[in-house]
């Protein structure tokens, strides 16, 4: 397995504007990028010594996982386990697989919560990270969206209603009739310190809808998280033991 230690797939240049993105949209996108989960994933991989692909490849053969990834079944996979069980690196392996699945016709957005990092331990940061990745991959979603939020994007995060605004923005994106098949993944929900109940409610509400959106989450086994995840029909819980 040591021969299979690999670095994360290279992150594309996000500095240049896409050909069909005007300067105003590019400015808003840059301001929205409070943190980039793609960089955090790469950093976490380095901290943990790199991803041993063969050690985590079993999940790709798991029947429930394959059905969720490849079919239209409305499931919510919840990767749950105690500390040190490998949840984070397992989700990194899943993300690598989903990047290949979504590369041609779909979208992929993910977020990694970390307890000690104030940039990424709150629900508004989660939504911001997901929104940024989706708009970065699908610039056509921007024009209709920003008509409703025609102001400096940075002001959103200084507003007491930041969660309300960002959840409204992401809901608009997820309800867009032109949205292709989309994978959304959130690591370590238990490390989200602010507005976790609202985030869990947003996930369960949108994972139950009949749209081309598939969620996958991970966390420690916490009653407050399990209660909300259990509310989703056909919840899937791969065993890490």
């Amino acid at each position: 397995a040591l021969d299979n230690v690999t670095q994360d797939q290279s992150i594309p240049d996000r500095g240049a504007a896409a050909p069909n993105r005007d300067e105003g949209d590019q400015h808003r996108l840059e301001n929205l990028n409070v943190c980039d989960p793609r960089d955090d994933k790469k950093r976490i991989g380095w901290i943990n010594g790199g991803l041993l692909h063969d050690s985590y490849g079993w999940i790709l053969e798991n029947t429930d996982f394959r059905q969720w990834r490849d079919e239209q079944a409305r499931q919510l996979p919840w990767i749950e386990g105690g500390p040190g069980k490998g949840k984070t690196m397992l989700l990194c392996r899943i993300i690598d697989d989903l990047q290949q699945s979504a590369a041609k016709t779909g979208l992929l957005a993910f977020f990694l919560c970390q307890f000690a990092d104030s940039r990424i331990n709150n629900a508004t940061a989660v939504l911001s990270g997901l929104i940024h990745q989706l708009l970065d991959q699908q610039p056509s979603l921007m024009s209709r969206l920003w008509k409703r939020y025609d102001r400096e994007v940075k002001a959103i995060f200084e507003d007491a209603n930041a969660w309300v605004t960002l959840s409204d923005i992401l809901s608009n994106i997820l309800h867009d009739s032109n949205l292709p098949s989309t994978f959304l993944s959130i690591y370590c929900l238990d490390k989200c310190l602010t507005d976790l109940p609202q985030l869990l409610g947003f996930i369960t509400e949108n994972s139950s809808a009949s749209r081309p959106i598939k969620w996958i989450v991970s966390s420690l086994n916490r009653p407050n998280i399990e209660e909300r995840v259990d509310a989703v029909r056909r919840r899937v819980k791969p065993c890490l033991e």
Side-chain angles (χ1 to χ4, degrees):
L2 291 176
D3 291 334
N4 288 282
V5 176
T6 62
Q7 297 294 341
D8 278 340
Q9 296 177 6
S10 59
I11 298 175
D13 179 10
R14 299 186 290 276
N20 56 341
R21 185 185 302 151
D22 63 32
E23 291 184 3
D25 285 342
Q26 182 66 19
H27 176 67
R28 294 184 181 98
L29 189 62
E30 290 170 355
N31 284 339
L32 182 62
N33 188 19
V34 175
C35 62
D36 196 314
R38 292 167 290 194
D39 293 334
D40 287 319
K41 174 178 177 288
K42 194 170 186 178
R43 174 176 55 83
I44 293 299
W46 287 340
I47 291 173
N48 286 277
L51 179 62
L52 296 170
H53 277 252
D54 285 358
S55 296
Y56 297 98
W58 65 268
I59 189 66
L60 306 183
E61 303 303 321
N62 179 276
T63 301
D64 287 334
F65 174 79
R66 290 168 65 93
Q67 184 180 38
W68 168 81
R69 182 193 62 190
D70 300 332
E71 300 179 12
Q72 296 302 313
R74 294 296 158 191
Q75 301 167 316
L76 175 59
W78 175 33
I79 308 297
E80 173 274 326
K85 291 292 185 181
K87 298 183 298 298
T88 297
M89 298 306 284
L90 178 62
L91 264 291
C92 286
R93 181 67 180 92
I94 290 173
I95 290 300
D96 288 347
D97 176 74
L98 296 181
Q99 282 179 325
Q100 298 179 26
S101 301
K104 295 182 179 180
T105 59
L107 304 178
L108 166 66
F110 58 90
F111 196 90
L112 171 61
C113 300
Q114 285 196 293
F115 179 83
D117 191 334
S118 60
R119 299 175 308 116
I120 53 178
N121 66 0
N122 58 88
T124 56
V126 174
L127 296 190
S128 173
L130 296 178
I131 292 168
H132 179 271
Q133 291 170 84
L134 294 175
L135 296 183
D136 192 29
Q137 295 170 70
Q138 189 91 351
S140 61
L141 294 169
M142 288 189 184
S143 58
R144 182 179 65 83
L145 184 66
W146 293 130
K147 288 179 181 178
R148 187 170 181 182
Y149 304 99
D150 189 17
R151 56 176 170 149
E152 281 292 321
V153 177
K154 283 184 177 180
I156 292 175
F157 300 96
E158 301 168 0
D159 194 309
N161 294 321
W163 164 263
V164 174
T165 302
L166 288 170
S167 60
D168 195 23
I169 290 173
L170 185 53
S171 290
N172 272 277
I173 291 174
L174 299 182
H175 283 83
D176 193 288
S177 60
N178 295 318
L179 187 75
S181 177
T182 300
F183 294 103
L184 299 172
S185 175
I186 304 177
Y187 307 62
C188 306
L189 280 168
D190 54 285
K191 296 179 181 178
C192 178
L193 302 184
T194 306
D195 293 333
L196 176 59
Q198 290 93 318
L199 179 59
L200 290 170
F202 186 91
I203 293 170
T204 54
E205 177 182 349
N206 284 278
S207 63
S208 301
S210 57
R211 295 189 300 278
I213 305 162
K214 298 184 179 183
W215 295 79
I216 183 168
V217 299
S218 78
S219 75
L220 294 175
N221 190 347
R222 294 285 187 263
N224 60 325
I225 296 176
E226 184 168 18
E227 180 181 355
R228 299 305 293 266
V229 175
D230 278 345
V232 179
R233 297 181 62 186
R234 301 196 66 184
R235 187 254 299 190
V236 176
K237 184 178 176 183
C239 179
L240 296 188
E241 303 300 325

